[in-house]
Amino acid sequence: MDKLTTLGEFIVERQSDFPFAKGELSRLLSAIRLAAKVVNREVNKAGLVDDILGSAGQENIQGETQQKLDVYANVQMINALRAQHEVCGIGSEENDDFIAFDKGESMWGKYIVMMDPLDGSSNIDVNVSIGTIFSIYRRKTKPGTVAQLEDFLQPGLDLVAAGYIIYGSSTMLVFSTGHGVNGFTLDTSIGVFCLSHPNMRIPEDGKIYSINEGNYKQFPEGVKRYIKYCQEEDEATQRPYTSRYIGSLVADVHRNMIKGGIYIYPATGINPNGKLRLMYENIPLAFIVEQAGGVASDGKNRILEITPEELHQRTPLFIGSKNMVEQAEAYMAEHSEVA
Ligand code: P6P
């Protein structure tokens, strides 16, 4: 039996991946590991504890009703990151403005975290997989001062690390520091994340396309043409593809990481810039997928090259197997007319 590698051991062993960090990034990743375990504990009993289930009654900046677990996950992540003093600021889907730790040791933190603490929360009540998504940047302003907006609005090319946690049939933490992608599964009997998916690679091709076809009438012509391409019969390219749409971004992207496939959330009439948020959904997932050999764009532009202009900016997302995303981009280039 191969040696069991825990996430903690992995971080220590891979310290050489971060030549300039003296353990700070390792401590930051350990904070995320802790928060993931705490959130997992609550997610796994959501059906039992009625004070967690259901809406918190408030709305976040997206106008989406905050589920109580959203709020809980947000607080756990913020507290765990603050406690390590390596992070000087956090941007979260659940907070209108960024959070700058403006006193004490955290002002000296070298890192910024952007996160969606609990994505797909509308699925909580129906027991469908949900996820946490995070990006880690180095701050741009000098340590010892309060973080500024410029510390947050960084393109994905400047990422130090990114990852996601999926709370599904098992709980996995998947992350990259720019040296490939590794997946860790939580062994709840000992409360430890163990390396289960070393050096993850997304297949260049796939047979799964993932899009909310309920919005078909609002899609750009290129997306409509690509969906028809997926549905045509062609033995040589194993079409028609299979349609799978969970409605939980992390679950849809993670499935495609394992099996191959494409996930698309394009511009629609209701969401002319797409629904998903650039900074704490599209960029971290693009980083992971590219590190695993896949592709991520807004249908034309590489996601990691887009410089954010605001914290909660939305962009369309085409992400997954290289050949499938490039095929969809070709249709978008050929038929650029909007719905
Ligand atoms: P729609 C969940 O609200 C989310 O942000 C993603 O997790 C998911 O992929 C998408 O929205 C689903 O959106 O419009 O298809 O319900």
Side-chain angles (χ1 to χ4, degrees), residues 64 93 116 118-123 129-131 133 210-215 245-253 263-265 268 271 275-277 281 314:
E64 292 168 346
E93 184 202 27
D116 185 352
L118 206 60
D119 178 77
S121 52
S122 55
N123 292 299
S129 301
I130 49 184
I133 313 169
S210 187
I211 186 169
N212 183 344
E213 294 190 58
N215 298 324
Y245 192 72
I246 301 172
S248 185
L249 176 61
V250 173
D252 278 314
V253 170
Y263 172 96
I264 301 175
Y265 206 108
T268 65
N271 292 301
K275 174 182 181 183
L276 303 178
R277 296 80 167 180
E281 290 175 328
R314 300 173 193 262

Side-chain angles (χ1 to χ4, degrees), residues 48-304:
L48 301 174
V49 184
D50 59 11
D51 66 338
I52 290 278
L53 256 188
S55 149
Q58 308 143 350
E59 283 199 345
N60 61 19
I61 188 170
Q62 325 300 337
E64 292 168 346
T65 301
Q66 281 185 302
Q67 299 278 345
K68 283 181 180 176
L69 262 180
D70 271 351
V71 177
Y72 179 81
N74 198 38
V75 169
Q76 294 307 316
M77 285 290 286
I78 292 169
N79 290 346
L81 291 167
R82 180 192 284 119
Q84 289 287 348
H85 307 308
E86 305 303 348
V87 172
C88 62
I90 295 175
S92 169
E93 184 202 27
E94 303 304 339
N95 295 79
D96 298 356
D97 297 318
F98 62 82
I99 300 162
F101 296 142
D102 57 5
K103 57 180 178 298
E105 294 171 76
S106 291
M107 276 181 80
W108 294 90
K110 288 168 53 176
Y111 297 105
I112 292 283
V113 170
M114 295 297 301
M115 66 177 184
D116 185 352
L118 206 60
D119 178 77
S121 52
S122 55
N123 292 299
I124 294 172
D125 291 355
V126 295
N127 219 358
V128 163
S129 301
I130 49 184
T132 298
I133 313 169
F134 61 90
S135 287
I136 302 171
Y137 293 95
R138 277 188 196 80
R139 69 180 300 169
K140 293 175 77 170
T141 56
K142 68 180 183 353
T145 61
V146 177
Q148 304 298 317
L149 186 58
E150 68 179 284
D151 288 310
F152 296 87
L153 299 184
Q154 300 187 49
L157 288 177
D158 293 348
L159 274 176
V160 172
Y164 61 82
I165 298 125
I166 179 167
Y167 310 96
S169 47
S170 66
T171 294
M172 277 190 69
L173 191 154
V174 176
F175 80 98
S176 172
T177 58
H179 302 271
V181 181
N182 291 282
F184 298 80
T185 299
L186 182 62
D187 181 335
T188 52
S189 66
I190 52 174
V192 173
F193 278 102
C194 302
L195 181 62
S196 54
H197 296 67
N199 191 27
M200 293 176 74
R201 303 294 293 169
I202 185 169
E204 281 207 342
D205 278 306
K207 296 185 291 181
I208 296 170
Y209 72 102
S210 187
I211 186 169
N212 183 344
E213 294 190 58
N215 298 324
Y216 183 84
K217 286 190 181 304
Q218 302 178 50
F219 287 159
E221 185 57 27
V223 171
K224 291 179 180 175
R225 297 290 181 103
Y226 180 67
I227 291 172
K228 289 305 166 207
Y229 169 84
C230 294
Q231 294 171 344
E232 284 164 356
E233 293 203 11
D234 178 88
E235 202 170 323
T237 52
Q238 298 184 303
R239 286 179 289 149
Y241 295 154
T242 296
S243 173
R244 286 284 182 277
Y245 192 72
I246 301 172
S248 185
L249 176 61
V250 173
D252 278 314
V253 170
H254 182 71
R255 181 205 51 241
N256 292 345
M257 281 282 286
I258 305 292
K259 292 179 176 258
I262 182 172
Y263 172 96
I264 301 175
Y265 206 108
T268 65
I270 297 172
N271 292 301
N273 293 313
K275 174 182 181 183
L276 303 178
R277 296 80 167 180
L278 175 62
M279 291 234 66
Y280 39 78
E281 290 175 328
N282 300 353
I283 284 177
L285 293 176
F287 183 75
I288 290 287
V289 165
E290 283 202 8
Q291 282 289 314
V295 170
S297 75
D298 63 5
K300 178 182 178 186
N301 308 295
R302 185 184 175 203
I303 290 288
L304 297 187

